Amino acid sequence: MTSPGDTRLALKIDIDTHDGLARGVPAIASCLAARGLCASFFVVCGPDRMGRRLARLLSPDFVRKLIRTRPVRVYGWRTLLSGTLLPARPVAAAFPRTLRALVDAGHEVGVHGHDHARWQDRLPRLTAAEVSAEVTQAATVYRTVLGTAPGGFAAPGWRCTPQSLAAVDAAGFAYRSDTRGAYPYRPAAEGRVFRIPEIPTTLPTLDELYGRIARRPQALAECILQGLRPGQLNVHTLHAELEGGPHLDVLEALLDGVQGVARVVRLCDEATALAPATLPVCSVREGAVPGRAMPVALQGPSVSAGT
Ligand SMILES: [Zn+2]
């Protein structure tokens, strides 16, 4: 239950890669368990083609970011070559027991797309049928692995189009977390209002801050905590490969610092408490956020008080 003055922090943990699920997720889960906290994990349900997407993205901006965030230390060579020189490995389907253990421990597990690289790099060029197939294939793998229908969908790379918003509506998810913004809403694009509520990420990510704002774990955690808005839902996206890997100390500092400041919540519980018919309707547009090379979907101004 929420009450006035109730400051909440949802930890949205994206699992982009095979190694992120193999090694990063158990590290994050034990960090949360030590503090009795639960989070929302979103897993890629198809192949790990991280290497393919890095190869395609060698723009000057992206290279600067790679140098800043040191990808070999974060991802390892096997992941960086996955889908290029070495075959792509499955993500969710490779570790059903790890995912079931998350659910058994009280965490939420949602869908982070099927082929992350394809979605993030090519979404606007995919046909409506191809986008729909990405969403339904992911949901099918999820059901096979966990035996239930997924409730939450989180778009890879915070990218969405009218076609992807419609595909998530059609697939019957309870809510989505596709964009960067300020408060829950129903998305609108190209004159259409979509049914499934959107709960946006409100805070900057570690890779957007690292090396640009701070490097020390304590300073990075403080920077994130300073962005918490009192009495509201705040959403912070983490990556299994980063906070579950070389930056576990940032997560530890964040979880220690949040005690007494905000209540750590799961996105699925926040979604259940929403009344979709009364949510504001906001346009979705693509734009830049500081520290991120690729454009992302942003919550625009409210276009009506709800329909
Ligand atoms: Zn991702």
Side-chain angles (χ1 to χ4, degrees):
M1 292 296 290
T2 65
S3 58
D6 184 15
T7 307
R8 286 106 68 210
L9 173 63
L11 300 172
K12 169 181 175 279
I13 301 157
D14 291 350
I15 309 164
D16 290 0
T17 64
H18 181 96
D19 284 350
L21 182 47
R23 293 202 281 271
V25 167
I28 290 176
S30 68
C31 199
L32 292 165
R35 295 161 179 84
L37 300 173
C38 289
S40 301
F41 291 82
F42 291 85
V43 64
V44 165
C45 291
D48 173 0
R49 293 195 215 277
M50 178 56 106
R52 184 167 300 190
R53 94 164 284 278
L54 291 180
R56 209 182 286 133
L57 279 175
L58 292 176
S59 66
D61 251 15
F62 197 76
V63 170
R64 267 197 293 280
K65 178 169 173 170
L66 287 184
I67 293 165
R68 187 156 56 76
T69 56
R70 291 181 286 170
V72 176
R73 183 165 163 244
V74 172
Y75 294 106
W77 285 112
R78 180 62 183 86
T79 296
L80 294 176
L81 298 176
S82 185
T84 50
L85 295 178
L86 296 171
R89 300 177 293 179
V91 184
F95 303 101
R97 273 184 297 179
T98 307
L99 293 171
R100 282 188 216 121
L102 286 179
V103 174
D104 291 344
H107 301 295
E108 170 188 12
V109 178
V111 166
H112 193 40
H114 188 257
D115 181 337
H116 194 296
R118 186 169 192 240
W119 183 290
Q120 189 166 11
D121 295 339
R122 299 187 50 211
L123 182 65
R125 297 194 295 281
L126 299 181
T127 65
E130 288 169 333
V131 176
S132 174
E134 286 286 313
V135 175
T136 55
Q137 280 172 37
T140 301
V141 170
Y142 182 100
R143 271 192 294 272
T144 306
V145 169
L146 285 165
T148 56
F153 182 91
W158 299 279
R159 289 208 91 180
C160 48
T161 59
Q163 289 74 23
S164 77
L165 294 166
V168 172
D169 267 13
F173 285 87
Y175 77 96
R176 66 182 117 220
S177 186
D178 288 352
T179 69
R180 310 294 290 264
Y183 51 83
Y185 65 101
R186 282 200 298 149
E190 289 183 355
R192 285 185 66 182
V193 177
F194 298 90
R195 187 171 55 85
I196 305 295
E198 158 72 16
I199 307 181
T201 290
T202 65
L203 290 158
T205 63
L206 169 60
D207 55 319
E208 288 160 9
L209 299 171
Y210 187 84
R212 194 174 65 86
I213 304 295
R215 278 183 194 275
R216 286 188 310 107
Q218 199 62 41
L220 287 159
E222 272 164 24
C223 184
I224 294 160
L225 291 168
Q226 277 165 9
L228 290 174
R229 299 159 309 168
Q232 295 185 48
L233 171 64
N234 303 271
V235 181
H236 178 49
T237 296
L238 303 87
H239 289 89
E241 297 77 13
L242 292 167
E243 284 90 342
H247 299 292
L248 192 64
D249 44 10
V250 179
L251 176 62
E252 284 175 338
L254 180 68
L255 296 184
D256 291 341
V258 82
Q259 291 187 28
V261 175
R263 194 161 60 87
V264 174
V265 296
R266 303 183 307 176
L267 283 170
C268 57
D269 300 320
E270 291 289 327
T272 303
L274 294 174
T278 64
L279 283 179
V281 173
C282 298
S283 60
V284 173
R285 64 182 173 83
E286 220 167 52
V289 293
R292 185 158 294 282
M294 295 276 290
V296 296
L298 303 174
Q299 177 179 11
S302 172
V303 294
S304 86
T307 56

